Amino acid sequence: MQWTDIDRIAAGLAEQHPDTEPLKVDFLDIRDRVAGLSGFRGDPTRVNLRILESIQLAWLDRTGRG
């Protein structure tokens, strides 16, 4: 899994952090949580704000709160 696998990342975050409100998580924390997902192979230093925002919104969609 790489940074561009937004839907897979969002699914993993929703599964690992079911009680977390994604909009309350800052982008550095999102980066660290994604880097900790099983199967993630992306370089944490090679991600940008646009991708992190996309992950956050996709994660929000997965929670049903968005």
Side-chain angles (χ1 to χ4, degrees), residues 30-52:
I30 290 173
R31 182 198 65 193
D32 294 343
R33 290 179 191 217
V34 171
L37 290 174
S38 176
F40 184 75
R41 303 282 183 255
D43 181 348
T45 66
R46 307 274 302 162
V47 65
N48 61 46
L49 185 59
R50 174 179 272 161
I51 290 174
L52 291 172

Side-chain angles (χ1 to χ4, degrees), residues 1-47:
M1 186 168 26
Q2 297 290 327
W3 287 111
T4 55
D5 296 314
I6 305 294
D7 290 329
R8 290 178 60 202
I9 290 170
L13 291 172
E15 184 177 314
Q16 277 196 356
H17 308 283
D19 297 325
T20 300
E21 292 188 38
L23 294 180
K24 292 187 177 182
V25 181
D26 67 57
F27 291 128
L28 291 177
D29 193 19
I30 290 173
R31 182 198 65 193
D32 294 343
R33 290 179 191 217
V34 171
L37 290 174
S38 176
F40 184 75
R41 303 282 183 255
D43 181 348
T45 66
R46 307 274 302 162
V47 65

